[in-house]
């Protein structure tokens, strides 16, 4: 069991997260969950940094984070940003290619010049050097050009994306976080930071390495939705139950398949056409699926749980998030570390079920005080809804 008094592994690491949606905030969330202090850099807003102002943005991945507002197009805000850069470890950049450069914040000639130990995680949707690099896009587009989307969905319908889980979060935020950790390891050895270039096309494509390679094998060489692991197999699929709920079946191995048949009250001959010897023959699959479908419809999900719980049939209920929340199910961090545990997901604002909003400027001035001892009026001011540097003024008076 993890020692709750131990510090998380990224304790002491400071992160600036340029505000964005989905993948960038998720990379920042992973940093924060594992102990980093994450300060989000929001765009200016008239009510930012005002007393009792509550202006949460549409970003809901704000756990353990704080915010300041900066207008990076204005020299005084950009100056404050560069002063901050000298004192942080990581910058998360979710912008399209060329945006930082247009802001006169080139990663190599400017940012790493100000802080050679800085790790700059640049996360784009499309490849930075591909023909789509200057185009807008979303998760579905990145999956589409990576080839991954072509693998997903039923055979008689267009490819279907799994919400925005694969590209935005799996191939985007999580892969960028992996790059950040690798760069931190590299910095421990060399003393130097570097630019981490991640994109959701390559990230999603890498997650699909095995399915891509399986297309050249009997396991996956048939059209989408007709293979062993993509819903085509009747013993690796989902079924509706009598009460309109669902169960998942993953009885791939022979011993697990035998347990499945036992729990369903069926014998091998009940699920195979007369002229077919085994379940590996794809010609049997439509008939098998029909038998399984009708059998699962004969009982409620709860009744099937009573039959299959504790067995090796690989049959489980398909639970909704509403059911999990109602059962007081506790969310956990992505990985449990026994010596340097992550922060508790459930003690953050909103817990693991509600996305707590974070307004521009919320908590950020306190973060600046803790990090650097900076105070409003002495080290920075507020103009037009953003912070501006007063550091040059202090130097001139000295």
């Amino acid at each position: 069991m993890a020692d709750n008094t131990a510090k998380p592994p990224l304790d002491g690491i400071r992160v600036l997260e340029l505000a964005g949606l989905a993948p960038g905030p998720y990379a920042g969330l992973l940093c924060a969950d594992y102990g980093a202090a994450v300060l989000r850099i929001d765009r200016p807003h008239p009510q930012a940094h005002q007393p009792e102002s509550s202006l949460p943005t549409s970003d809901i991945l704000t756990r353990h984070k704080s915010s300041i507002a900066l207008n990076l197009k204005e020299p005084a805000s950009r100056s404050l940003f560069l002063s901050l850069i000298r004192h942080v470890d990581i910058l998360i950049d979710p912008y399209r290619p060329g945006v930082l450069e247009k802001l006169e914040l080139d990663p190599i000639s400017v940012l790493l010049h100000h802080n050679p130990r800085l790790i700059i995680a640049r996360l784009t949707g499309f490849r930075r050097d591909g023909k789509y690099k200057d185009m807008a896009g979303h998760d579905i587009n990145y999956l589409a050009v990576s080839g991954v989307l072509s693998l997903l969905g039923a055979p008689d319908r267009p490819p279907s994306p799994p919400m925005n889980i694969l590209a935005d979060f799996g191939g985007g935020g999580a892969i960028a976080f992996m790059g950040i950790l690798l760069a931190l390891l590299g910095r421990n050895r060399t003393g130097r930071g570097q630019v981490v270039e991640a994109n959701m096309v390559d990230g999603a494509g890498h997650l699909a390495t095995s399915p891509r390679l399986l297309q050249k094998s009997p396991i996956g060489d048939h059209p989408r939705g007709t293979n062993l692991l993509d819903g085509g197999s009747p013993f690796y699929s989902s079924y509706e139950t009598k009460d309109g709920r669902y169960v998942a079946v993953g009885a791939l191995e022979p011993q697990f398949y035998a347990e499945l048949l036992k729990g369903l009250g069926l014998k091998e001959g009940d699920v195979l056409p007369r002229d077919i010897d085994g379940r590996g023959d794809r010609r049997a699959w439509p008939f098998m699926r029909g038998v399984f479908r009708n059998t699962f419809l004969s009982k409620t999900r709860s009744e099937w749980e009573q039959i299959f719980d504790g067995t090796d049939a690989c049959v489980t209920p398909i639970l909704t998030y509403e059911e999990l929340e109602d059962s007081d199910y506790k969310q956990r961090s992505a990985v449990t570390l026994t010596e340097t545990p992550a922060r508790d997901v459930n003690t953050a604002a909103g817990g693991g079920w509600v996305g707590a909003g974070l307004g521009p400027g919320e908590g950020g001035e306190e973060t600046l005080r803790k990090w650097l001892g900076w105070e409003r009026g002495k080290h920075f001011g507020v103009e037009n809804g953003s912070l501006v540097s007063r550091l040059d003024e202090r130097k001139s008076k000295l």
Side-chain angles (χ1 to χ4, degrees), residues 98-398:
V99 171
L100 282 186
E101 289 80 355
K102 290 179 181 178
L103 292 170
E104 300 178 13
L105 296 171
D106 181 84
I108 303 297
S109 63
V110 177
L111 299 181
L112 284 173
H113 177 75
H114 278 73
N115 181 359
R117 289 177 56 82
L118 180 67
I119 293 164
I120 306 161
R122 311 194 76 179
L123 177 56
T124 59
F126 297 114
R127 288 179 168 181
R128 305 186 72 86
D129 57 351
K131 73 173 186 176
Y132 306 105
K133 66 183 178 66
D134 296 322
M135 292 171 52
H138 284 293
D139 185 292
I140 189 172
N141 305 115
Y142 313 138
L143 288 184
V145 301
S146 73
V148 177
L149 186 58
S150 70
L151 304 177
L152 307 176
D156 56 346
R157 302 187 66 184
S160 177
M163 295 184 65
N164 64 329
I165 297 171
L166 263 182
D168 277 357
F169 298 112
I175 292 293
F177 179 63
M178 180 182 73
I180 288 169
L181 298 182
L182 292 173
L184 284 171
L185 289 173
R187 192 178 73 174
N188 287 341
R189 187 178 69 252
T190 67
R192 298 191 303 275
Q194 60 181 298
V195 177
V196 175
E197 292 190 352
N199 70 78
M200 288 166 248
V201 171
D202 288 339
H206 200 277
L207 291 176
T209 295
S210 179
R212 182 177 68 252
L213 298 178
L214 286 175
Q215 287 191 301
K216 301 296 178 65
S217 81
I219 293 178
D221 62 356
H222 282 62
R224 177 184 65 254
T226 64
N227 294 285
L228 183 67
L229 300 176
D230 62 4
S233 162
F235 42 87
Y236 196 86
S237 192
S238 57
Y239 293 93
E240 185 177 358
T241 58
K242 186 177 181 179
D243 53 349
R245 297 183 177 184
Y246 299 91
V247 295
V249 176
L252 292 174
E253 292 80 359
Q255 66 273 27
F256 302 154
Y257 179 69
E259 288 291 313
L260 168 65
L261 293 184
K262 178 181 177 181
L264 292 174
L266 299 171
K267 297 180 179 180
E268 186 80 8
D270 297 329
V271 299
L272 291 177
R274 293 181 181 179
D275 58 339
I276 295 178
D277 294 332
R279 64 177 181 138
D281 191 327
R282 293 170 185 264
R283 294 175 300 167
W285 288 4
F287 182 83
M288 292 176 68
R289 185 179 297 279
V291 174
F292 289 161
R293 181 188 300 114
N294 292 335
T295 305
F296 277 113
L297 282 171
S298 69
K299 292 181 178 10
T300 66
R301 195 188 72 185
S302 178
E303 289 174 321
W304 287 120
E305 288 183 70
Q306 293 175 26
I307 291 171
F308 286 112
D309 280 1
T311 74
D312 282 344
C314 300
V315 177
T316 53
I318 297 179
L319 301 174
T320 66
Y321 278 131
E322 183 179 12
E323 289 178 281
L324 289 171
E325 185 176 6
D326 288 345
S327 68
D328 200 30
Y329 180 91
K330 300 298 183 184
Q331 297 292 340
R332 295 179 179 175
S333 56
V335 176
T336 298
L337 302 175
T338 59
E339 299 297 326
T340 53
R343 290 169 169 158
D344 188 348
V345 171
N346 300 286
T347 60
W353 296 106
V354 179
L358 180 68
E362 186 176 340
E365 293 186 41
E366 176 63 16
T367 299
L368 296 180
R369 186 191 66 79
K370 288 180 179 179
W371 284 5
L372 304 168
W374 288 358
E375 297 179 4
R376 186 193 291 208
K378 292 183 179 181
H379 303 89
F380 60 85
V382 180
E383 293 181 4
N384 300 318
S386 70
L387 299 189
V388 294
S389 177
R390 295 282 185 263
L391 297 171
D392 292 337
E393 296 177 10
R394 286 175 59 82
K395 291 179 181 178
S396 64
K397 291 179 181 178
L398 295 174

